């Protein structure tokens, strides 16, 4: 779910206010998102059970998700990276239904591990990418994953784990220049079609419409 406006989200105990993070255009200053979040997000924790808030930073490759997450980390937040570059290949192409399903399962396992480590303290974790990114990257079969992911997120609410997604959007010309520069440093990302301008346009269009 995407938090829009100053949303008051009623859970079983806590009240969580999420600032308007959707449709923020991030250019060269990723501090904008972090500072906006720090100024506006507040938690009123009145429930007895431990709560974990998961804030997923989503968007096309090259929008600055990793830079924003690094900025959050510098501010003292716990941050999880996207994790897909470390996955074994099993001899399969990375952007297939099988591999994306494995990635989604690993994503939820990492969240559950963090919840188990909280003890009696409430927690907030920032995550580079939400499980919904697998819907797009699985291609024509990706729609199979969307209800599966949504139902898992609903299940986790019962365990007081609340997952929210915000989307970063960047102007296409700036986005392509960022992607091109990053490929010079990380050519292994070519395996994920990141060297294709058409792929960037298609991916960016998908995120812009959601």
């Amino acid at each position: 779910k995407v938090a829009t406006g100053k949303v008051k989200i009623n859970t079983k105990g806590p009240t969580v206010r999420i600032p308007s993070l959707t449709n923020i255009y991030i250019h060269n200053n990723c501090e904008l998102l972090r500072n906006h979040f720090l100024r506006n997000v507040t938690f009123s924790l009145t429930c007895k059970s431990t709560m974990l808030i998961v804030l997923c930073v989503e968007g096309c490759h090259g929008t600055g998700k990793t830079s924003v997450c690094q900025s959050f980390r510098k501010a003292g937040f716990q941050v999880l990276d996207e994790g897909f570059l470390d996955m074994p290949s099993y001899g399969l192409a990375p952007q297939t239904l099988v591999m994306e399903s494995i990635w989604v399962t690993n994503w939820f396992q990492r969240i559950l591990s963090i919840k188990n480590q909280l003890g009696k303290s409430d927690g907030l974790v920032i995550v580079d990418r939400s499980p919904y990114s697998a819907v797009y990257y699985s291609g024509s079969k990706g729609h199979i994953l969307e209800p599966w992911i949504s139902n898992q997120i609903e299940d986790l609410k019962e365990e007081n784990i609340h997952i929210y997604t915000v989307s970063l959007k960047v102007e296409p010309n700036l986005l392509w220049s960022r992607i091109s520069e990053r490929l010079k440093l990380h050519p292994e990302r070519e395996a994920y079609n990141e060297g294709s301008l058409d792929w960037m346009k298609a991916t960016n269009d998908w995120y812009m419409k959601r």
Side-chain angles (χ1 to χ4, degrees):
K1 291 183 179 179
V2 177
T4 58
K6 268 198 173 177
V7 178
K8 184 176 181 180
I9 301 160
N10 293 315
T11 62
K12 289 188 175 179
T15 296
V16 183
R17 289 183 177 84
I18 305 294
S20 178
L21 298 176
T22 305
N23 297 331
I24 288 180
Y25 277 77
I26 305 299
H27 296 282
N28 294 317
N29 185 9
C30 66
E31 298 289 317
L32 171 65
L33 178 59
R34 190 200 72 181
N35 292 340
H36 189 79
F37 181 83
L38 290 175
R39 282 196 306 270
N40 291 282
V41 70
T42 59
F43 303 99
S44 174
L45 304 176
T46 58
C47 62
K48 293 182 179 179
S49 61
T50 302
M51 179 178 71
L52 176 63
I53 294 290
V54 182
L55 181 65
C56 306
V57 183
E58 194 52 276
C60 179
H61 53 283
T63 51
K65 296 182 299 297
T66 301
S67 296
V68 167
C69 287
Q70 288 172 348
S71 186
F72 273 116
R73 183 180 283 113
K74 289 178 182 178
F77 290 93
Q78 183 176 6
V79 175
L80 287 183
D81 63 22
E82 54 196 4
F84 67 80
L85 289 176
D86 299 325
M87 284 183 55
S89 68
Y90 302 110
L92 301 176
Q95 293 172 340
T96 59
L97 182 62
V98 171
M99 294 303 294
E100 293 293 343
S101 299
I102 293 171
W103 178 81
V104 169
T105 299
N106 290 342
W107 191 97
F108 281 111
Q109 286 179 333
R110 295 169 82 193
I111 297 302
L112 290 172
S113 178
I114 290 173
K115 179 67 159 55
N116 286 340
Q117 294 168 15
L118 289 178
K120 295 182 179 180
S121 301
D122 297 297
L124 168 66
V125 61
I126 314 298
V127 187
D128 189 341
R129 289 198 179 276
S130 78
Y132 286 113
S133 64
V135 174
Y136 175 74
Y137 291 106
S138 296
S140 61
K141 298 177 182 178
H143 65 281
I144 298 171
L145 296 179
E146 189 154 6
W148 179 58
I149 292 167
S150 297
N151 284 317
Q152 290 183 82
I153 290 174
E154 289 299 312
D155 281 352
L156 290 182
K157 287 181 181 179
E158 297 300 316
E159 304 303 321
N160 221 2
I161 300 173
H162 304 278
I163 299 171
Y164 306 99
T165 302
V166 297
S167 180
L168 305 187
K169 301 184 187 215
V170 176
E171 294 166 343
N173 289 339
L174 177 58
L175 182 59
W176 179 242
S177 67
R178 285 182 177 181
I179 292 170
S180 299
E181 288 301 314
R182 185 169 68 176
L183 280 173
K184 295 176 183 178
L185 299 174
H186 301 285
E188 69 275 10
R189 300 185 77 99
E190 287 272 6
Y192 300 91
N193 285 332
E194 292 194 12
S196 168
L197 178 59
D198 288 339
W199 176 248
M200 182 214 79
K201 289 179 177 177
T203 305
N204 198 42
D205 286 347
W206 187 81
Y207 279 107
M208 292 291 282
K209 293 175 182 177
R210 293 184 70 84

